[in-house]
Amino acid sequence: MDVRWLQDFLAVAETGNFTRAAERRNSSQAAFSRRIQSLEQWLGVALIDRSVFPTRLTAEGEQFRQHAGEILRQLLDARMEVAGKAATGREPVRIGLPYVLATAGLPRWWTGWAEDPRLTGSIVLGNIHDLVTDLSAGNLDLLICYHSDQQPILPDPKRFERTVVETDTLRPYASRTLGASLPGTAGRPLPLLMYSAGVYFARLVDLILDTAGEPVAGTRVLESDMADVLRDMALAGHGLAWLPDRTVAAGADPAGLVPAGGAAWTLPLTVVAFRDRTNRRRAVARLWARLVAQGA
């Protein structure tokens, strides 16, 4: 048995696509397929139904999926506890974060978390889809991310529990010098700094635009995956961007950006944390208790 077989299997189970799963695992598709076949030969059953598209698991594959996640999590937990505690005397916790919270949230939160002298963290950055996949595969102890009830993030609630850490608001901002205000006019269309397609915040901004009640007169001048990039571009006067309030507050010049639209152009957000209910590591339980208290 090779641990990579389990990681590969969980990746294809999550994506339903061999090509995307191989890319996510930084593997050639040929090598990836061979490892899946090796796992099937070791188990003596077919796990993947290759006769249909998109790819789906067989009944045996669905049954093994839960076992694979638990086996992998226990192996990784054991390795981290033995190696991490031996090296540092502390208990490492693997925390998945989108970049926007790694910069705007983590430095503040760590002040309270560090009161636990045994805690040390391993931060994994990524987009929401990849982080949820990592959480499902047992590669993370905790996932902390932005969440909107109108665009929910839904790891299996029977397996994963959730707690609200704090609240925030996504709203349009522009520099004081630009003086931009929604919805703009046809004679003076607004320069828009937008999120790249597929980014979670891009879906939230689309939701705002769909429900605002009037169309925006604007032109996309830049797209980026990262809220920090759009914040800095807005601060430099290059356009209007939808940003979480905490991202603005964490910037170099929070006073240099001002809201560029009223309530119709904003969306309330929560910051939520997820963990596997079966994860019984003591360090994870202690940090989870702090997150619950932080939200309360």
Side-chain angles (χ1 to χ4, degrees), residues 169-202:
T169 302
L170 185 67
R171 72 177 83 243
Y173 281 94
S175 69
R176 293 182 181 277
T177 55
L178 184 63
S181 182
L182 288 163
T185 64
R188 293 189 61 185
L190 298 172
L192 302 178
L193 308 171
M194 304 295 277
Y195 295 95
S196 305
V199 175
Y200 184 63
F201 276 2

PDB file of all heavy atoms in Angstrom, residues 169-202:
ATOM      1  N   THR A 169     -18.224  42.414   5.773  1.00  0.00           N
ATOM      2  CA  THR A 169     -19.100  42.901   4.707  1.00  0.00           C
ATOM      3  C   THR A 169     -18.283  43.081   3.432  1.00  0.00           C
ATOM      4  O   THR A 169     -17.170  43.624   3.463  1.00  0.00           O
ATOM      5  CB  THR A 169     -19.746  44.252   5.087  1.00  0.00           C
ATOM      6  OG1 THR A 169     -20.487  44.087   6.293  1.00  0.00           O
ATOM      7  CG2 THR A 169     -20.684  44.728   3.985  1.00  0.00           C
ATOM      8  N   LEU A 170     -18.828  42.606   2.322  1.00  0.00           N
ATOM      9  CA  LEU A 170     -18.234  42.824   1.000  1.00  0.00           C
ATOM     10  C   LEU A 170     -18.912  44.048   0.401  1.00  0.00           C
ATOM     11  O   LEU A 170     -20.127  44.060   0.214  1.00  0.00           O
ATOM     12  CB  LEU A 170     -18.461  41.601   0.113  1.00  0.00           C
ATOM     13  CG  LEU A 170     -17.807  41.610  -1.271  1.00  0.00           C
ATOM     14  CD1 LEU A 170     -16.283  41.558  -1.148  1.00  0.00           C
ATOM     15  CD2 LEU A 170     -18.307  40.430  -2.102  1.00  0.00           C
ATOM     16  N   ARG A 171     -18.121  45.091   0.117  1.00  0.00           N
ATOM     17  CA  ARG A 171     -18.713  46.324  -0.396  1.00  0.00           C
ATOM     18  C   ARG A 171     -17.779  46.960  -1.433  1.00  0.00           C
ATOM     19  O   ARG A 171     -16.582  46.666  -1.456  1.00  0.00           O
ATOM     20  CB  ARG A 171     -19.025  47.301   0.731  1.00  0.00           C
ATOM     21  CG  ARG A 171     -17.848  47.960   1.373  1.00  0.00           C
ATOM     22  CD  ARG A 171     -18.267  48.981   2.455  1.00  0.00           C
ATOM     23  NE  ARG A 171     -18.532  48.359   3.737  1.00  0.00           N
ATOM     24  CZ  ARG A 171     -19.737  48.386   4.335  1.00  0.00           C
ATOM     25  NH1 ARG A 171     -20.754  48.986   3.754  1.00  0.00           N
ATOM     26  NH2 ARG A 171     -19.900  47.808   5.508  1.00  0.00           N
ATOM     27  N   PRO A 172     -18.304  47.837  -2.285  1.00  0.00           N
ATOM     28  CA  PRO A 172     -17.468  48.491  -3.293  1.00  0.00           C
ATOM     29  C   PRO A 172     -16.647  49.621  -2.671  1.00  0.00           C
ATOM     30  O   PRO A 172     -17.158  50.421  -1.884  1.00  0.00           O
ATOM     31  CB  PRO A 172     -18.480  49.033  -4.303  1.00  0.00           C
ATOM     32  CG  PRO A 172     -19.727  49.257  -3.494  1.00  0.00           C
ATOM     33  CD  PRO A 172     -19.732  48.206  -2.424  1.00  0.00           C
ATOM     34  N   TYR A 173     -15.386  49.680  -3.040  1.00  0.00           N
ATOM     35  CA  TYR A 173     -14.490  50.736  -2.572  1.00  0.00           C
ATOM     36  C   TYR A 173     -13.769  51.369  -3.765  1.00  0.00           C
ATOM     37  O   TYR A 173     -13.495  50.706  -4.773  1.00  0.00           O
ATOM     38  CB  TYR A 173     -13.423  50.173  -1.638  1.00  0.00           C
ATOM     39  CG  TYR A 173     -13.879  49.919  -0.222  1.00  0.00           C
ATOM     40  CD1 TYR A 173     -14.338  48.662   0.161  1.00  0.00           C
ATOM     41  CD2 TYR A 173     -13.822  50.928   0.732  1.00  0.00           C
ATOM     42  CE1 TYR A 173     -14.737  48.412   1.473  1.00  0.00           C
ATOM     43  CE2 TYR A 173     -14.222  50.697   2.044  1.00  0.00           C
ATOM     44  CZ  TYR A 173     -14.672  49.438   2.412  1.00  0.00           C
ATOM     45  OH  TYR A 173     -15.063  49.211   3.709  1.00  0.00           O
ATOM     46  N   ALA A 174     -13.456  52.643  -3.615  1.00  0.00           N
ATOM     47  CA  ALA A 174     -12.636  53.357  -4.590  1.00  0.00           C
ATOM     48  C   ALA A 174     -11.800  54.379  -3.830  1.00  0.00           C
ATOM     49  O   ALA A 174     -12.112  54.731  -2.685  1.00  0.00           O
ATOM     50  CB  ALA A 174     -13.499  54.048  -5.644  1.00  0.00           C
ATOM     51  N   SER A 175     -10.750  54.860  -4.447  1.00  0.00           N
ATOM     52  CA  SER A 175      -9.901  55.846  -3.787  1.00  0.00           C
ATOM     53  C   SER A 175     -10.635  57.184  -3.686  1.00  0.00           C
ATOM     54  O   SER A 175     -11.521  57.499  -4.490  1.00  0.00           O
ATOM     55  CB  SER A 175      -8.595  56.028  -4.552  1.00  0.00           C
ATOM     56  OG  SER A 175      -8.842  56.667  -5.799  1.00  0.00           O
ATOM     57  N   ARG A 176     -10.253  57.955  -2.696  1.00  0.00           N
ATOM     58  CA  ARG A 176     -10.841  59.286  -2.544  1.00  0.00           C
ATOM     59  C   ARG A 176     -10.591  60.134  -3.782  1.00  0.00           C
ATOM     60  O   ARG A 176     -11.437  60.935  -4.195  1.00  0.00           O
ATOM     61  CB  ARG A 176     -10.256  59.976  -1.308  1.00  0.00           C
ATOM     62  CG  ARG A 176     -10.646  59.315   0.012  1.00  0.00           C
ATOM     63  CD  ARG A 176     -10.078  60.066   1.199  1.00  0.00           C
ATOM     64  NE  ARG A 176     -10.443  59.421   2.458  1.00  0.00           N
ATOM     65  CZ  ARG A 176     -11.598  59.613   3.079  1.00  0.00           C
ATOM     66  NH1 ARG A 176     -12.495  60.454   2.566  1.00  0.00           N
ATOM     67  NH2 ARG A 176     -11.855  58.991   4.218  1.00  0.00           N
ATOM     68  N   THR A 177      -9.428  59.993  -4.372  1.00  0.00           N
ATOM     69  CA  THR A 177      -9.084  60.812  -5.539  1.00  0.00           C
ATOM     70  C   THR A 177      -9.908  60.437  -6.767  1.00  0.00           C
ATOM     71  O   THR A 177     -10.239  61.293  -7.580  1.00  0.00           O
ATOM     72  CB  THR A 177      -7.588  60.676  -5.870  1.00  0.00           C
ATOM     73  OG1 THR A 177      -7.276  59.283  -6.046  1.00  0.00           O
ATOM     74  CG2 THR A 177      -6.741  61.219  -4.732  1.00  0.00           C
ATOM     75  N   LEU A 178     -10.257  59.138  -6.905  1.00  0.00           N
ATOM     76  CA  LEU A 178     -11.042  58.724  -8.063  1.00  0.00           C
ATOM     77  C   LEU A 178     -12.471  59.241  -7.973  1.00  0.00           C
ATOM     78  O   LEU A 178     -13.072  59.627  -8.987  1.00  0.00           O
ATOM     79  CB  LEU A 178     -11.038  57.200  -8.179  1.00  0.00           C
ATOM     80  CG  LEU A 178     -11.736  56.604  -9.405  1.00  0.00           C
ATOM     81  CD1 LEU A 178     -11.038  57.038 -10.695  1.00  0.00           C
ATOM     82  CD2 LEU A 178     -11.773  55.080  -9.319  1.00  0.00           C
ATOM     83  N   GLY A 179     -13.030  59.235  -6.770  1.00  0.00           N
ATOM     84  CA  GLY A 179     -14.378  59.768  -6.586  1.00  0.00           C
ATOM     85  C   GLY A 179     -15.444  58.983  -7.320  1.00  0.00           C
ATOM     86  O   GLY A 179     -16.442  59.559  -7.764  1.00  0.00           O
ATOM     87  N   ALA A 180     -15.262  57.679  -7.454  1.00  0.00           N
ATOM     88  CA  ALA A 180     -16.231  56.860  -8.185  1.00  0.00           C
ATOM     89  C   ALA A 180     -17.409  56.506  -7.290  1.00  0.00           C
ATOM     90  O   ALA A 180     -17.269  56.345  -6.082  1.00  0.00           O
ATOM     91  CB  ALA A 180     -15.559  55.579  -8.685  1.00  0.00           C
ATOM     92  N   SER A 181     -18.596  56.384  -7.905  1.00  0.00           N
ATOM     93  CA  SER A 181     -19.791  56.006  -7.157  1.00  0.00           C
ATOM     94  C   SER A 181     -20.717  55.217  -8.068  1.00  0.00           C
ATOM     95  O   SER A 181     -20.962  55.609  -9.214  1.00  0.00           O
ATOM     96  CB  SER A 181     -20.512  57.255  -6.633  1.00  0.00           C
ATOM     97  OG  SER A 181     -21.644  56.889  -5.871  1.00  0.00           O
ATOM     98  N   LEU A 182     -21.208  54.105  -7.557  1.00  0.00           N
ATOM     99  CA  LEU A 182     -22.138  53.270  -8.316  1.00  0.00           C
ATOM    100  C   LEU A 182     -23.511  53.930  -8.423  1.00  0.00           C
ATOM    101  O   LEU A 182     -23.911  54.670  -7.527  1.00  0.00           O
ATOM    102  CB  LEU A 182     -22.273  51.906  -7.625  1.00  0.00           C
ATOM    103  CG  LEU A 182     -21.056  50.995  -7.737  1.00  0.00           C
ATOM    104  CD1 LEU A 182     -21.119  49.879  -6.702  1.00  0.00           C
ATOM    105  CD2 LEU A 182     -20.954  50.391  -9.131  1.00  0.00           C
ATOM    106  N   PRO A 183     -24.207  53.719  -9.543  1.00  0.00           N
ATOM    107  CA  PRO A 183     -23.923  52.755 -10.612  1.00  0.00           C
ATOM    108  C   PRO A 183     -23.099  53.311 -11.766  1.00  0.00           C
ATOM    109  O   PRO A 183     -22.849  52.595 -12.725  1.00  0.00           O
ATOM    110  CB  PRO A 183     -25.321  52.377 -11.095  1.00  0.00           C
ATOM    111  CG  PRO A 183     -26.108  53.631 -10.920  1.00  0.00           C
ATOM    112  CD  PRO A 183     -25.590  54.262  -9.663  1.00  0.00           C
ATOM    113  N   GLY A 184     -22.664  54.581 -11.704  1.00  0.00           N
ATOM    114  CA  GLY A 184     -21.967  55.188 -12.830  1.00  0.00           C
ATOM    115  C   GLY A 184     -22.936  55.670 -13.893  1.00  0.00           C
ATOM    116  O   GLY A 184     -24.151  55.472 -13.789  1.00  0.00           O
ATOM    117  N   THR A 185     -22.403  56.305 -14.905  1.00  0.00           N
ATOM    118  CA  THR A 185     -23.237  56.820 -15.996  1.00  0.00           C
ATOM    119  C   THR A 185     -22.660  56.383 -17.335  1.00  0.00           C
ATOM    120  O   THR A 185     -21.475  56.064 -17.450  1.00  0.00           O
ATOM    121  CB  THR A 185     -23.294  58.357 -15.956  1.00  0.00           C
ATOM    122  OG1 THR A 185     -21.981  58.901 -16.193  1.00  0.00           O
ATOM    123  CG2 THR A 185     -23.807  58.854 -14.608  1.00  0.00           C
ATOM    124  N   ALA A 186     -23.519  56.415 -18.351  1.00  0.00           N
ATOM    125  CA  ALA A 186     -23.070  56.030 -19.693  1.00  0.00           C
ATOM    126  C   ALA A 186     -21.999  56.980 -20.198  1.00  0.00           C
ATOM    127  O   ALA A 186     -21.082  56.582 -20.923  1.00  0.00           O
ATOM    128  CB  ALA A 186     -24.259  56.003 -20.650  1.00  0.00           C
ATOM    129  N   GLY A 187     -22.106  58.241 -19.799  1.00  0.00           N
ATOM    130  CA  GLY A 187     -21.112  59.226 -20.234  1.00  0.00           C
ATOM    131  C   GLY A 187     -19.778  59.057 -19.547  1.00  0.00           C
ATOM    132  O   GLY A 187     -18.737  59.383 -20.131  1.00  0.00           O
ATOM    133  N   ARG A 188     -19.817  58.541 -18.299  1.00  0.00           N
ATOM    134  CA  ARG A 188     -18.578  58.322 -17.546  1.00  0.00           C
ATOM    135  C   ARG A 188     -18.620  56.930 -16.913  1.00  0.00           C
ATOM    136  O   ARG A 188     -18.852  56.780 -15.710  1.00  0.00           O
ATOM    137  CB  ARG A 188     -18.395  59.395 -16.469  1.00  0.00           C
ATOM    138  CG  ARG A 188     -18.164  60.789 -17.020  1.00  0.00           C
ATOM    139  CD  ARG A 188     -17.764  61.735 -15.895  1.00  0.00           C
ATOM    140  NE  ARG A 188     -16.514  61.312 -15.257  1.00  0.00           N
ATOM    141  CZ  ARG A 188     -16.007  61.923 -14.177  1.00  0.00           C
ATOM    142  NH1 ARG A 188     -16.660  62.916 -13.600  1.00  0.00           N
ATOM    143  NH2 ARG A 188     -14.862  61.501 -13.668  1.00  0.00           N
ATOM    144  N   PRO A 189     -18.392  55.888 -17.703  1.00  0.00           N
ATOM    145  CA  PRO A 189     -18.428  54.528 -17.150  1.00  0.00           C
ATOM    146  C   PRO A 189     -17.330  54.328 -16.119  1.00  0.00           C
ATOM    147  O   PRO A 189     -16.229  54.870 -16.242  1.00  0.00           O
ATOM    148  CB  PRO A 189     -18.221  53.639 -18.377  1.00  0.00           C
ATOM    149  CG  PRO A 189     -17.543  54.509 -19.380  1.00  0.00           C
ATOM    150  CD  PRO A 189     -18.060  55.902 -19.143  1.00  0.00           C
ATOM    151  N   LEU A 190     -17.647  53.556 -15.103  1.00  0.00           N
ATOM    152  CA  LEU A 190     -16.701  53.328 -14.017  1.00  0.00           C
ATOM    153  C   LEU A 190     -15.637  52.312 -14.429  1.00  0.00           C
ATOM    154  O   LEU A 190     -15.952  51.290 -15.055  1.00  0.00           O
ATOM    155  CB  LEU A 190     -17.438  52.800 -12.794  1.00  0.00           C
ATOM    156  CG  LEU A 190     -18.502  53.703 -12.180  1.00  0.00           C
ATOM    157  CD1 LEU A 190     -19.262  52.946 -11.092  1.00  0.00           C
ATOM    158  CD2 LEU A 190     -17.856  54.955 -11.611  1.00  0.00           C
ATOM    159  N   PRO A 191     -14.374  52.556 -14.064  1.00  0.00           N
ATOM    160  CA  PRO A 191     -13.352  51.509 -14.247  1.00  0.00           C
ATOM    161  C   PRO A 191     -13.514  50.464 -13.143  1.00  0.00           C
ATOM    162  O   PRO A 191     -13.479  50.783 -11.949  1.00  0.00           O
ATOM    163  CB  PRO A 191     -12.036  52.273 -14.108  1.00  0.00           C
ATOM    164  CG  PRO A 191     -12.365  53.462 -13.252  1.00  0.00           C
ATOM    165  CD  PRO A 191     -13.811  53.812 -13.525  1.00  0.00           C
ATOM    166  N   LEU A 192     -13.717  49.214 -13.522  1.00  0.00           N
ATOM    167  CA  LEU A 192     -14.017  48.155 -12.566  1.00  0.00           C
ATOM    168  C   LEU A 192     -12.828  47.214 -12.408  1.00  0.00           C
ATOM    169  O   LEU A 192     -12.265  46.724 -13.393  1.00  0.00           O
ATOM    170  CB  LEU A 192     -15.238  47.359 -13.019  1.00  0.00           C
ATOM    171  CG  LEU A 192     -16.535  48.165 -13.213  1.00  0.00           C
ATOM    172  CD1 LEU A 192     -17.646  47.251 -13.720  1.00  0.00           C
ATOM    173  CD2 LEU A 192     -16.946  48.849 -11.910  1.00  0.00           C
ATOM    174  N   LEU A 193     -12.464  46.949 -11.173  1.00  0.00           N
ATOM    175  CA  LEU A 193     -11.425  45.986 -10.814  1.00  0.00           C
ATOM    176  C   LEU A 193     -12.147  44.753 -10.280  1.00  0.00           C
ATOM    177  O   LEU A 193     -12.736  44.795  -9.209  1.00  0.00           O
ATOM    178  CB  LEU A 193     -10.502  46.572  -9.751  1.00  0.00           C
ATOM    179  CG  LEU A 193      -9.904  47.945 -10.081  1.00  0.00           C
ATOM    180  CD1 LEU A 193      -9.186  48.525  -8.864  1.00  0.00           C
ATOM    181  CD2 LEU A 193      -8.946  47.837 -11.263  1.00  0.00           C
ATOM    182  N   MET A 194     -12.122  43.662 -11.022  1.00  0.00           N
ATOM    183  CA  MET A 194     -12.997  42.526 -10.745  1.00  0.00           C
ATOM    184  C   MET A 194     -12.198  41.263 -10.437  1.00  0.00           C
ATOM    185  O   MET A 194     -11.006  41.160 -10.749  1.00  0.00           O
ATOM    186  CB  MET A 194     -13.910  42.277 -11.944  1.00  0.00           C
ATOM    187  CG  MET A 194     -14.744  43.496 -12.345  1.00  0.00           C
ATOM    188  SD  MET A 194     -15.951  43.993 -11.084  1.00  0.00           S
ATOM    189  CE  MET A 194     -17.282  42.854 -11.457  1.00  0.00           C
ATOM    190  N   TYR A 195     -12.885  40.293  -9.855  1.00  0.00           N
ATOM    191  CA  TYR A 195     -12.269  39.007  -9.549  1.00  0.00           C
ATOM    192  C   TYR A 195     -12.310  38.100 -10.779  1.00  0.00           C
ATOM    193  O   TYR A 195     -13.246  38.165 -11.580  1.00  0.00           O
ATOM    194  CB  TYR A 195     -12.988  38.335  -8.380  1.00  0.00           C
ATOM    195  CG  TYR A 195     -12.832  39.105  -7.086  1.00  0.00           C
ATOM    196  CD1 TYR A 195     -13.809  40.013  -6.682  1.00  0.00           C
ATOM    197  CD2 TYR A 195     -11.693  38.957  -6.306  1.00  0.00           C
ATOM    198  CE1 TYR A 195     -13.664  40.743  -5.509  1.00  0.00           C
ATOM    199  CE2 TYR A 195     -11.537  39.690  -5.138  1.00  0.00           C
ATOM    200  CZ  TYR A 195     -12.518  40.579  -4.735  1.00  0.00           C
ATOM    201  OH  TYR A 195     -12.361  41.308  -3.591  1.00  0.00           O
ATOM    202  N   SER A 196     -11.297  37.273 -10.897  1.00  0.00           N
ATOM    203  CA  SER A 196     -11.231  36.331 -12.012  1.00  0.00           C
ATOM    204  C   SER A 196     -12.371  35.324 -11.931  1.00  0.00           C
ATOM    205  O   SER A 196     -12.832  34.969 -10.842  1.00  0.00           O
ATOM    206  CB  SER A 196      -9.892  35.584 -12.000  1.00  0.00           C
ATOM    207  OG  SER A 196      -8.800  36.484 -12.009  1.00  0.00           O
ATOM    208  N   ALA A 197     -12.813  34.855 -13.074  1.00  0.00           N
ATOM    209  CA  ALA A 197     -13.886  33.864 -13.122  1.00  0.00           C
ATOM    210  C   ALA A 197     -13.495  32.621 -12.338  1.00  0.00           C
ATOM    211  O   ALA A 197     -12.354  32.158 -12.400  1.00  0.00           O
ATOM    212  CB  ALA A 197     -14.178  33.497 -14.577  1.00  0.00           C
ATOM    213  N   GLY A 198     -14.442  32.082 -11.588  1.00  0.00           N
ATOM    214  CA  GLY A 198     -14.199  30.886 -10.800  1.00  0.00           C
ATOM    215  C   GLY A 198     -13.806  31.157  -9.367  1.00  0.00           C
ATOM    216  O   GLY A 198     -13.879  30.260  -8.521  1.00  0.00           O
ATOM    217  N   VAL A 199     -13.386  32.393  -9.062  1.00  0.00           N
ATOM    218  CA  VAL A 199     -13.047  32.760  -7.686  1.00  0.00           C
ATOM    219  C   VAL A 199     -14.343  32.935  -6.894  1.00  0.00           C
ATOM    220  O   VAL A 199     -15.344  33.439  -7.414  1.00  0.00           O
ATOM    221  CB  VAL A 199     -12.210  34.058  -7.680  1.00  0.00           C
ATOM    222  CG1 VAL A 199     -11.939  34.548  -6.266  1.00  0.00           C
ATOM    223  CG2 VAL A 199     -10.897  33.823  -8.421  1.00  0.00           C
ATOM    224  N   TYR A 200     -14.340  32.530  -5.639  1.00  0.00           N
ATOM    225  CA  TYR A 200     -15.548  32.604  -4.810  1.00  0.00           C
ATOM    226  C   TYR A 200     -16.100  34.024  -4.762  1.00  0.00           C
ATOM    227  O   TYR A 200     -17.311  34.232  -4.902  1.00  0.00           O
ATOM    228  CB  TYR A 200     -15.232  32.106  -3.397  1.00  0.00           C
ATOM    229  CG  TYR A 200     -16.438  32.055  -2.476  1.00  0.00           C
ATOM    230  CD1 TYR A 200     -17.515  31.211  -2.754  1.00  0.00           C
ATOM    231  CD2 TYR A 200     -16.503  32.843  -1.335  1.00  0.00           C
ATOM    232  CE1 TYR A 200     -18.618  31.150  -1.909  1.00  0.00           C
ATOM    233  CE2 TYR A 200     -17.598  32.795  -0.481  1.00  0.00           C
ATOM    234  CZ  TYR A 200     -18.645  31.946  -0.771  1.00  0.00           C
ATOM    235  OH  TYR A 200     -19.743  31.895   0.052  1.00  0.00           O
ATOM    236  N   PHE A 201     -15.243  35.017  -4.589  1.00  0.00           N
ATOM    237  CA  PHE A 201     -15.710  36.403  -4.534  1.00  0.00           C
ATOM    238  C   PHE A 201     -16.305  36.864  -5.869  1.00  0.00           C
ATOM    239  O   PHE A 201     -17.156  37.752  -5.884  1.00  0.00           O
ATOM    240  CB  PHE A 201     -14.571  37.336  -4.130  1.00  0.00           C
ATOM    241  CG  PHE A 201     -14.358  37.427  -2.634  1.00  0.00           C
ATOM    242  CD1 PHE A 201     -15.126  36.678  -1.753  1.00  0.00           C
ATOM    243  CD2 PHE A 201     -13.389  38.256  -2.101  1.00  0.00           C
ATOM    244  CE1 PHE A 201     -14.933  36.751  -0.379  1.00  0.00           C
ATOM    245  CE2 PHE A 201     -13.187  38.344  -0.732  1.00  0.00           C
ATOM    246  CZ  PHE A 201     -13.954  37.587   0.128  1.00  0.00           C
ATOM    247  N   ALA A 202     -15.859  36.274  -6.981  1.00  0.00           N
ATOM    248  CA  ALA A 202     -16.447  36.622  -8.272  1.00  0.00           C
ATOM    249  C   ALA A 202     -17.926  36.247  -8.295  1.00  0.00           C
ATOM    250  O   ALA A 202     -18.766  36.998  -8.807  1.00  0.00           O
ATOM    251  CB  ALA A 202     -15.701  35.926  -9.407  1.00  0.00           C
TER     252      ALA A 202
END
